Amino acid sequence: MAKFIIFLSLFVSFAAASYVEELKWPKGETFLTFLEKNHLPSSIYYTLDKEEQELAAEIVAGVKYQVLKSENNALEQVLIPIGEELQMHIKTIDDKFIMEITPILLQEEKRSLAIEIQNSPYVDILNATSSYGLANEFAQTFRGEVNLRNLQKGDKLVLLYQQKRRLGKLFGSIKIDVSMVETAKKKNYIFFYKENYYDPKGQELDSFLLSNPVNYTRVSSVFTQKRWHPILQKYRAHLGIDYAASVGTPVKSAGSGRVLFVGQKGGYGNTIEVSHDSSYKTLYAHLNGFAKGIRSGQKVKQGQVIAYVGNTGLSSGPHLHFGLYRSNVAINPASVVKIAKSALGGNELKAFINYTDALRKKVESAQESNEPVYKEENFNLSYPFEQKQS
Ligand SMILES: [Zn+2]
């Protein structure tokens, strides 16, 4: 009951007999088809400005959204998450439907998990916590460090991590501040530090490196999850990097992978999406046209020309909008688009060592304290992580 009240209070106002429904955004649904289906005026979409229409193209299939309905089933308000920090809020003002972008109310929590290996880290983390998000994040970050297949029953695993909740349920990405796997009497650590994962020596892990997708004249817009525009009095987000370049400039795949999508994508106009492994996806938008023969399902190499810069969709001038997603969550491409992985040195390395020393102590106390493991109530609540076995 308490949860239900939190739920309702998120909507600005509601009649006494209104009720909330939670639904999953269907694959292939656009904001516009959603409005049509629900008999909402399309003017909600057409009166949005350019950036808001771009954001409307960022609704992820599978995202849980909430609908407030009246006693007689008429739709009154809708909340749809966009990225990790903002949501679209459809509501009425003076009997007219409008859409406003508002911040998501998030509860942040820090947790620890200390377990012994019984099957595999992935299965054991899942059994202990029922969190696919946590199991996937561990599997992605720790691969390559220790051969996880060689672990023995009874080996130890400790994770200290941060996660967020929206409406009581896990939401968005999970960050593992430290992972420790103890096997053959050796403790192996990985640390999260300043947006990247590092080994104990301060070497960035063999993460995902992308090359620049275009020869650009300048970066016209950087990545932001949430920002308040003081003049417009609106919240904004820009879930990618805009590279200004003239129409027709070749657009190259930032990494090797497989084409996921070629076509129109709302405010993004002509768009290509490429998946790079089980967890990463890049997006190229406002394209003038696609390279000859490019189609969905096709393999592409890093640096291969896939399209040409344009001005399609809602675009104020020729540029490439480049987006990067990890487990369907938009992340800042600037941290990943680089030539080589970095190693920390000098004072930065000293700061890192101090930071990791403190974390090692926390790992030890988590192991000693034997705290009960927090288990998520329901297996299917860990949007946006899809169910996956490693
Ligand atoms: Zn953009």
Side-chain angles (χ1 to χ4, degrees):
M1 191 59 203
K3 242 181 218 170
F4 190 63
I5 291 165
I6 298 174
F7 215 47
L8 282 176
S9 66
L10 274 192
F11 291 105
V12 171
S13 63
F14 56 97
S18 297
Y19 66 98
V20 176
E21 250 178 28
E22 186 172 71
L23 301 162
K24 228 185 197 180
W25 195 265
K27 215 177 167 188
E29 186 89 292
T30 67
F31 188 57
L32 207 49
T33 59
F34 171 80
L35 295 178
E36 281 164 17
K37 260 191 207 166
N38 289 284
H39 311 290
L40 290 166
S42 59
S43 60
I44 296 176
Y45 180 74
Y46 290 111
T47 51
L48 298 180
D49 64 38
K50 183 165 66 57
E51 286 177 59
E52 288 166 334
Q53 288 198 11
E54 261 202 11
L55 282 179
E58 284 283 345
I59 303 173
V60 176
V63 68
K64 300 251 172 64
Y65 68 99
Q66 289 74 32
V67 174
L68 185 72
K69 286 185 172 171
S70 71
E71 208 174 355
N72 47 8
N73 291 325
L75 194 148
E76 294 183 331
Q77 296 185 40
V78 189
L79 286 174
I80 310 162
I82 301 285
E84 290 205 74
E85 293 180 21
L86 294 177
Q87 58 195 345
M88 299 176 99
H89 186 181
I90 299 173
K91 60 180 181 180
T92 44
I93 286 185
D94 303 331
D95 287 333
K96 244 184 89 186
F97 275 106
I98 60 144
M99 194 284 284
E100 187 181 48
I101 290 175
T102 61
I104 295 175
L105 290 180
L106 292 169
Q107 286 83 48
E108 294 183 14
E109 52 192 30
K110 288 193 169 196
R111 293 201 181 278
S112 63
L113 174 72
I115 53 173
E116 285 192 0
I117 301 298
Q118 301 298 327
N119 305 289
S120 73
Y122 187 93
V123 171
D124 294 332
I125 293 169
L126 200 52
N127 285 343
T129 63
S130 296
S131 169
Y132 282 97
L134 186 62
N136 282 338
E137 185 69 12
F138 172 80
Q140 278 174 28
T141 54
F142 225 90
R143 67 177 171 196
E145 289 314 295
V146 174
N147 190 341
L148 295 175
R149 288 180 206 285
N150 291 347
L151 296 187
Q152 303 292 314
K153 212 170 171 172
D155 281 348
K156 298 193 172 57
L157 176 126
V158 179
L159 307 178
L160 304 184
Y161 57 101
Q162 305 178 37
Q163 58 188 17
K164 287 170 281 187
R165 259 168 228 287
R166 172 177 183 259
L167 302 171
K169 293 168 188 174
L170 285 184
F171 179 82
S173 53
I174 293 175
K175 284 184 178 126
I176 305 179
D177 291 322
V178 53
S179 314
M180 192 282 286
V181 172
E182 186 176 349
T183 181
K185 294 189 177 144
K186 187 172 180 270
K187 290 180 174 180
N188 304 276
Y189 291 92
I190 282 177
F191 300 97
F192 187 78
Y193 183 71
K194 293 189 177 172
E195 300 304 309
N196 283 305
Y197 285 99
Y198 289 90
D199 73 8
K201 288 178 187 152
Q203 305 270 348
E204 192 180 338
L205 292 187
D206 198 0
S207 57
F208 186 57
L209 295 178
L210 292 175
S211 60
N212 229 303
V214 70
N215 283 327
Y216 58 95
T217 51
R218 66 192 175 92
V219 169
S220 51
S221 188
V222 296
F223 179 95
T224 44
Q225 273 286 5
K226 179 176 83 178
R227 123 185 109 84
W228 174 249
H229 196 297
I231 296 161
L232 295 173
Q233 293 281 303
K234 280 178 177 180
Y235 280 98
R236 292 287 201 206
H238 185 243
L239 302 178
I241 295 181
D242 286 350
Y243 295 107
S246 52
V247 172
T249 307
V251 171
K252 295 167 276 184
S253 183
S256 299
R258 195 176 284 276
V259 177
L260 265 183
F261 175 85
V262 181
Q264 293 271 329
K265 200 172 170 45
Y268 281 142
N270 289 333
T271 301
I272 291 187
E273 291 176 354
V274 178
S275 73
H276 298 285
D277 59 18
S278 54
S279 54
Y280 286 99
K281 179 180 94 178
T282 49
L283 175 145
Y284 312 79
H286 304 305
L287 303 167
N288 192 44
F290 307 115
K292 215 176 157 190
I294 286 288
R295 53 179 171 73
S296 163
Q298 184 184 338
K299 277 188 178 172
V300 288
K301 290 215 170 78
Q302 184 169 51
Q304 183 178 336
V305 174
I306 52 173
Y308 302 94
V309 171
N311 202 11
T312 57
L314 285 135
S315 170
S316 51
H319 74 280
L320 173 71
H321 171 99
F322 177 64
L324 174 65
Y325 301 80
R326 186 162 183 250
S327 301
N328 270 337
V329 176
I331 59 171
N332 189 354
S335 64
V336 176
V337 179
K338 52 193 172 188
I339 314 293
K341 55 185 177 171
S342 67
L344 302 173
N347 285 337
E348 178 110 79
L349 182 60
K350 274 183 205 155
F352 173 79
I353 298 291
N354 285 337
Y355 169 78
T356 58
D357 281 349
L359 279 177
R360 284 169 198 261
K361 291 199 181 91
K362 284 189 187 167
V363 166
E364 273 166 34
S365 52
Q367 259 181 312
E368 283 158 16
S369 71
N370 231 340
E371 264 179 55
V373 172
Y374 182 88
K375 200 167 174 121
E376 297 296 332
E377 289 163 34
N378 185 322
F379 266 64
N380 294 319
L381 295 181
S382 56
Y383 158 78
F385 302 96
E386 280 153 22
Q387 299 184 11
K388 189 174 63 179
Q389 287 286 330
S390 70

